[in-house]
């Protein structure tokens, strides 16, 4: 919603609210719900919280109102209050699909709070909440419904985002020992297959390790092996008993493409936009203007830097700003050379550091042990845990440098980038990066 549209909508609903007669509780609840959504969309979380609370006050048996309040309390990391709101929502909800969605949202709060045991179990409700598509070619294969997998031939299929796939593949090597299944096949997203398989393995269609076989796609898997059941990759958080203090090492078996060698002395990669199809992309995106000012200031301190854009399909405004900035200082747009993740990895592994918003390139950089500075919005994804943390158990220092920089106030990226600049200043001055 554009700024002018938001302003008009706010005036409209506030006027409607003022005109309601006393006792019109149903109408008041509906208007407060609209105002909650508008304020949340504009990142005005305090105002959104007020209207969400008003909605449940005027309609205390509305599971939707309680669910919205729980979601906002989760986003604000008020976890005990969020849990209480979700329980109220479940109390009043009788619709099966809506109950599954509520359980899934509750699981996101539990995971963000570090309660992986309950959160990973609740995450499985995603399949019942209308948010899961059947992978192509698996229509005839039964989906796992929670039964024992002992002695079964299991096909694990990635369903969520590319970054999720790269992050969660780490559970695959231990899956067989956790479940005592007979055989494990794994299908990543086809777009990731050339990155995860060598050229010869991709030509064959699969690669076999001791505890699993990795296939390039589901069709190849079903042609090569008979399976008893399939399950989504995210189920491994539950089945492999994930805990934030004892996570397996990140997946490291990657096969970057051979790409031209970059000869600059100090190379910094940048990404400022998430996948535009992601529902949370708007709040995750960092304006290029803020990044432009950051790069300008950093170059004054370190004239030898060259910046490289790893932004997939930048929007028209970003493309114009990128072109203009590349005339002013050393900034190279690599987007035309990033035909696939394997090419991205080939260039990315040459970087001395990456500065990125929360998107797949962050997970790819971590897997390649590229020092990563992750820019997080005020409301961040569950996997980055509490707002007080600046490091992630998913990518600990024992694996590679991976630093979290969170917004301290909604929408303020300038302050975030100031802290990134301080961190880079210290590292570049001490040459703690070994140039690639």
């Amino acid at each position: 919603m554009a700024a002018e549209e938001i302003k008009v909508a706010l005036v409209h609903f506030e006027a409607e609210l003022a005109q309601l007669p006393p006792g019109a509780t149903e109408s008041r609840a509906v208007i407060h719900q609209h105002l909650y959504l508008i304020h949340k969309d504009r990142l005005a979380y305090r105002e959104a919280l007020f209207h969400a609370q008003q909605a449940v006050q005027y309609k205390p048996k509305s599971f939707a109102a309680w669910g919205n309040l729980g979601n906002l309390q989760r986003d604000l990391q008020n976890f005990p209050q969020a849990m209480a709101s979700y329980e109220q929502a479940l109390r009043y909800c009788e619709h099966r699909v809506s109950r599954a969605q509520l359980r899934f949202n509750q699981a996101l709060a539990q995971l963000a709070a570090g309660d992986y045991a309950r959160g990973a179990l609740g995450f499985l409700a995603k399949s019942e909440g209308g948010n899961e598509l059947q992978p192509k070619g698996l229509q005839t294969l039964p989906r796992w419904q929670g039964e024992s997998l002992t002695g079964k031939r299991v096909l694990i299929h990635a369903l969520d985002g590319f970054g999720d796939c790269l992050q969660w593949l780490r559970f695959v090597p231990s899956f067989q020992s956790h479940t005592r299944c007979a055989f494990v096949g794994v299908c990543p997203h086809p777009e990731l297959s050339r990155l995860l398989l060598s050229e010869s393995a991709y030509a064959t269609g699969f690669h076999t390790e001791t505890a699993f076989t990795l296939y390039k796609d589901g069709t190849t898997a079903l042609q090569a092996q008979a399976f008893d059941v399939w399950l989504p990759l995210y189920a491994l958080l539950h089945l492999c008993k994930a805990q934030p203090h004892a996570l397996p090492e990140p997946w490291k078996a990657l096969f970057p493409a051979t790409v031209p060698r970059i000869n600059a002395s100090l190379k910094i990669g940048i990404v400022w936009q998430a996948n535009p199809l992601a529902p949370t992309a708007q709040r995750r995106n960092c304006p290029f203007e803020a990044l432009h000012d950051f790069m300008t200031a950093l170059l004054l301190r370190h004239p030898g830097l060259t910046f490289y854009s790893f932004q997939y399909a930048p929007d028209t405004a970003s493309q114009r700003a990128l072109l203009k900035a590349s005339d002013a200082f050393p900034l190279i747009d690599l987007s035309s050379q990033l035909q696939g993740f394997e090419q991205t990895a080939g260039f990315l592994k040459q970087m001395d550091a990456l500065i990125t918003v929360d998107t797949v390139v962050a997970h790819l950089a971590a897997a390649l042990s590229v020092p990563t500075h992750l820019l997080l919005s005020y409301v961040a994804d569950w996997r980055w845990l509490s707002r007080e943390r600046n490091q992630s158990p998913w990518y600990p220092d024992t694996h590679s440098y991976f630093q979290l920089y969170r917004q301290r106030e909604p929408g303020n990226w300038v302050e975030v980038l100031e802290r990134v600049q301080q961190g880079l200043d210290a590292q570049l001055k001490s040459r703690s990066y070994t140039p690639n």
Side-chain angles (χ1 to χ4, degrees):
M1 197 181 283
E4 190 59 35
E5 292 175 317
I6 289 175
K7 184 178 179 180
V8 170
L10 285 174
V11 170
H12 168 74
F13 285 118
E14 292 287 1
E16 275 203 6
L17 196 60
Q19 293 169 8
L20 285 176
T25 56
E26 181 83 18
S27 297
R28 288 182 185 278
V30 170
I31 293 174
H32 280 297
Q33 288 278 61
H34 284 301
L35 289 168
Y36 149 77
L37 291 170
I38 293 170
H39 283 297
K40 186 178 180 182
D41 188 56
R42 58 187 284 264
L43 309 184
Y45 296 117
R46 181 179 298 178
E47 291 88 341
L49 182 61
F50 168 77
H51 290 290
Q53 290 168 331
Q54 289 294 298
V56 298
Q57 178 179 326
Y58 286 111
K59 200 172 182 181
K61 293 186 178 181
S62 168
F63 75 84
W66 280 110
N68 284 337
L69 178 59
N71 290 344
L72 185 56
Q73 290 166 330
R74 177 198 68 206
D75 290 347
L76 297 176
Q77 300 204 339
N78 299 328
F79 298 122
Q81 296 95 319
M83 294 302 142
S85 294
Y86 287 128
E87 290 301 325
Q88 286 290 85
L90 288 166
R91 176 184 176 188
Y92 296 117
C93 181
E94 297 180 355
H95 187 256
R96 183 184 64 83
V97 173
S98 296
R99 286 185 65 84
Q101 185 62 57
L102 286 168
R103 291 201 308 274
F104 175 70
N105 288 336
Q106 185 180 48
L108 297 181
Q110 290 163 335
L111 289 165
D115 184 356
Y116 277 25
R118 288 193 297 172
L121 177 61
F123 201 96
L124 300 178
K126 183 175 185 177
S127 64
E128 305 169 46
N131 293 326
E132 184 175 282
L133 298 176
Q134 180 87 353
K136 291 181 180 179
L138 300 189
Q139 286 78 6
T140 59
L141 189 63
R143 189 194 188 284
W144 176 66
Q145 300 297 326
E147 72 275 14
S148 170
L149 294 172
T150 301
K152 298 287 184 67
R153 295 163 296 182
V154 181
L155 181 62
I156 301 168
H157 205 294
L159 297 181
D160 291 78
F162 299 127
D164 298 317
C165 182
L166 291 176
Q167 184 182 28
W168 297 340
L169 279 172
R170 71 184 69 205
F171 295 109
V172 168
S174 65
F175 177 77
Q176 190 170 38
S177 62
H178 278 288
T179 60
R180 299 185 180 182
C181 59
F183 182 85
V184 181
V186 184
C187 290
H189 292 289
E191 294 88 341
L192 290 170
S193 293
R194 289 187 180 274
L195 173 69
L196 298 170
L197 292 166
S198 66
E199 281 191 35
S200 59
Y202 187 85
T204 305
F206 62 89
H207 170 73
T208 299
E209 293 282 347
T210 303
F212 63 92
T213 297
L214 185 68
Y215 297 95
K216 71 176 183 179
D217 55 45
T219 301
T220 303
L222 294 179
Q223 290 174 347
Q225 172 68 44
F227 290 93
D228 299 306
V229 66
W230 78 271
L231 54 79
L233 179 60
Y234 66 72
L236 272 63
L237 275 76
H238 168 63
L239 291 168
C240 295
K241 298 178 171 57
Q243 289 295 335
H245 61 274
L247 292 166
E249 285 194 355
W251 183 275
K252 297 178 182 177
L254 302 178
F255 297 90
T258 301
V259 297
R261 178 71 184 172
I262 297 175
N263 294 316
S265 57
L266 281 171
K267 306 170 286 292
I268 309 294
I270 56 169
V271 180
W272 62 93
Q273 290 179 336
N275 183 344
L277 299 178
T280 58
Q282 181 181 355
R283 73 176 184 225
R284 282 193 276 164
N285 293 346
C286 174
F288 183 81
E289 293 77 13
L291 203 57
H292 177 281
D293 293 344
F294 161 81
M295 291 186 285
T296 302
L298 198 62
L299 278 166
L300 292 175
R301 291 171 168 78
H302 309 282
L305 290 178
T306 303
F307 295 98
Y308 294 85
S309 171
F310 284 82
Q311 183 62 56
Y312 285 100
D315 59 33
T316 303
S318 291
Q319 283 181 321
R320 287 198 297 265
L322 191 61
L323 185 62
K324 184 177 180 181
S326 64
D327 290 334
F329 54 78
L331 172 59
I332 311 298
D333 181 9
L334 294 174
S335 60
S336 64
Q337 301 181 67
L338 307 179
Q339 290 88 9
F341 286 107
E342 62 276 19
Q343 283 82 23
T344 302
F347 286 109
L348 192 54
K349 72 176 185 177
Q350 300 184 55
M351 295 295 109
D352 298 298
L354 173 72
I355 300 164
T356 179
V357 295
D358 185 5
T359 189
V360 57
V361 183
H363 299 280
L364 181 54
L368 293 167
S369 297
V370 175
T372 302
H373 300 259
L374 182 62
L375 315 179
L376 294 176
S377 55
Y378 185 79
V379 174
D381 192 76
W382 64 265
R383 75 198 71 213
W384 310 122
L385 296 170
S386 70
R387 196 170 286 118
E388 290 72 32
R389 300 183 70 115
N390 58 16
Q391 292 184 316
S392 169
W394 291 93
Y395 302 112
D397 277 349
T398 52
H399 170 71
S400 63
Y401 182 92
F402 195 94
Q403 191 80 6
L404 310 180
Y405 298 86
R406 302 170 188 266
Q407 286 182 344
R408 290 173 176 167
E409 58 182 54
N412 187 347
W413 289 109
V414 173
E415 190 275 334
V416 172
L417 289 166
E418 286 173 355
R419 281 183 279 133
V420 175
Q421 181 176 298
Q422 292 167 9
L424 271 172
D425 271 346
Q427 290 167 338
L428 292 172
K429 286 176 182 176
S430 67
R431 290 294 190 266
S432 59
Y433 288 139
T434 301
N436 284 316

